[in-house]
Amino acid sequence: MKFGVAVYPGSNCDYDTYYVIRDVIKKDVDFIDYRETNINKYDCIIVPGGFSFGDYLRPGVIASHTPLTNALKDFAEKGKFIIGICNGFQILTEAHLLPGALLSNNHGKFICKHQYLRVENNSTPFTNKLNKGEVIKLPIAHHDGNYFIDEETLKKMEEKGQIILRYCDKDGNVSPDSNPNGSISNIAGVCNEKFNVFGLMPHPERACEPILGSSDGLKILLSIIN
């Protein structure tokens, strides 16, 4: 399985992601420049975190109009896998590869900490190494992670199982107190209807080795190659 890691001006988690793919799960991986359009040789492309194009206008919007992101739309249509992490999640929603939008955190502050998450759907290519209802711990680091979707679309996503991760406490309880940014229904990660595009605000690539305080993120990346 061949991975690609998208690189936009301002990406800053690209090397972390590249390291995990190459050295931890030991799979073939390339960096892909944001001007590239020939991406057919890849099976999975990860759009990493950072501040693409300085987050000018709003996070992810400029990156969503680059040649690489346009090529990702055809890539997704072919059923290949895409993961957007943090700023990558923002880029994928701006490109309409995922439903919804990421607004500023409801308290207006940047947050950086470990966060508990409850697995809502483990029947996806990205979560098959996890159990439904399992509580995992991943780092979050964002200012604009407040997931929003209208109520009607949210209901349809719930029915189709597109809500993949929710913010929770250490016991798996989902409540306003366990919501770090005001996301609707405590949503931390979603899939598209075909379940081949996954976006999440937490950083699995920063939780792939015990020395980092959690290796729960490894289960997400291993799910893809399972």
Side-chain angles (χ1 to χ4, degrees), residues 117-136 156-166 174 187-200 219-220 223:
L117 303 146
R118 191 174 75 190
V119 179
E120 301 295 289
N121 184 352
N122 69 334
S123 300
T124 81
F126 311 100
T127 53
N128 59 64
K129 284 287 189 180
L130 296 157
N131 297 311
K132 185 174 182 179
E134 181 175 349
V135 177
I136 61 175
K156 292 178 181 176
M157 291 174 69
E158 297 268 15
E159 292 171 351
K160 294 176 180 176
Q162 291 176 251
I163 310 305
I164 310 302
L165 296 172
R166 279 193 169 91
V174 172
I187 291 172
V190 302
C191 268
N192 64 344
E193 289 189 19
K194 292 182 178 179
F195 292 95
N196 66 319
V197 182
F198 177 38
L200 70 168
K219 298 177 184 177
I220 291 175
S223 291

Side-chain angles (χ1 to χ4, degrees), residues 200-219:
L200 70 168
M201 287 311 296
H203 287 265
E205 82 284 4
R206 297 183 188 176
C208 285
E209 293 177 299
I211 195 172
L212 298 174
S214 171
S215 55
D216 288 342
L218 192 58
K219 298 177 184 177

Side-chain angles (χ1 to χ4, degrees), residues 24 36 94 155 217:
V24 180
E36 182 61 65
E94 290 287 348
K155 183 180 178 183

Side-chain angles (χ1 to χ4, degrees), residues 8 24 48 61 226:
Y8 302 88
V24 180
V61 67
N226 188 26

Side-chain angles (χ1 to χ4, degrees), residues 19-171:
Y19 163 78
V20 170
I21 301 299
R22 187 191 64 181
D23 296 321
V24 180
I25 69 171
K26 301 188 184 305
K27 291 295 177 183
D28 193 15
V29 59
D30 294 331
F31 288 119
I32 310 175
D33 185 86
Y34 72 99
R35 291 160 290 197
E36 182 61 65
T37 58
N38 183 2
I39 55 176
N40 291 326
K41 65 181 177 181
Y42 299 104
D43 302 297
C44 178
I45 292 179
I46 301 177
V47 185
F51 300 90
S52 57
F53 294 91
D55 273 357
Y56 288 111
L57 301 181
R58 61 178 181 267
V61 67
I62 298 177
S64 73
H65 293 280
T66 58
L68 175 57
T69 307
N70 287 330
L72 286 177
K73 296 175 183 176
D74 182 56
F75 190 80
E77 278 296 312
K78 292 176 178 174
K80 295 190 175 186
F81 300 130
I82 303 173
I83 305 178
I85 302 169
C86 199
N87 192 229
F89 188 12
Q90 295 161 344
I91 293 169
L92 296 183
T93 58
E94 290 287 348
H96 304 296
L97 282 164
L98 287 170
L102 281 308
L103 309 179
S104 296
N105 298 340
N106 60 345
H107 42 70
K109 299 177 182 176
F110 186 90
I111 46 175
C112 182
K113 64 175 186 175
H114 278 87
Q115 172 69 44
Y116 292 104
L117 303 146
R118 191 174 75 190
V119 179
E120 301 295 289
N121 184 352
N122 69 334
S123 300
T124 81
F126 311 100
T127 53
N128 59 64
K129 284 287 189 180
L130 296 157
N131 297 311
K132 185 174 182 179
E134 181 175 349
V135 177
I136 61 175
K137 186 173 72 171
L138 299 179
I140 56 173
H142 57 251
H143 183 278
D144 298 84
N146 181 358
Y147 185 76
F148 177 79
I149 192 80
D150 65 86
E151 290 289 348
E152 183 178 349
T153 308
L154 175 60
K155 183 180 178 183
K156 292 178 181 176
M157 291 174 69
E158 297 268 15
E159 292 171 351
K160 294 176 180 176
Q162 291 176 251
I163 310 305
I164 310 302
L165 296 172
R166 279 193 169 91
Y167 300 111
C168 68
D169 65 19
K170 63 182 177 60
D171 297 316

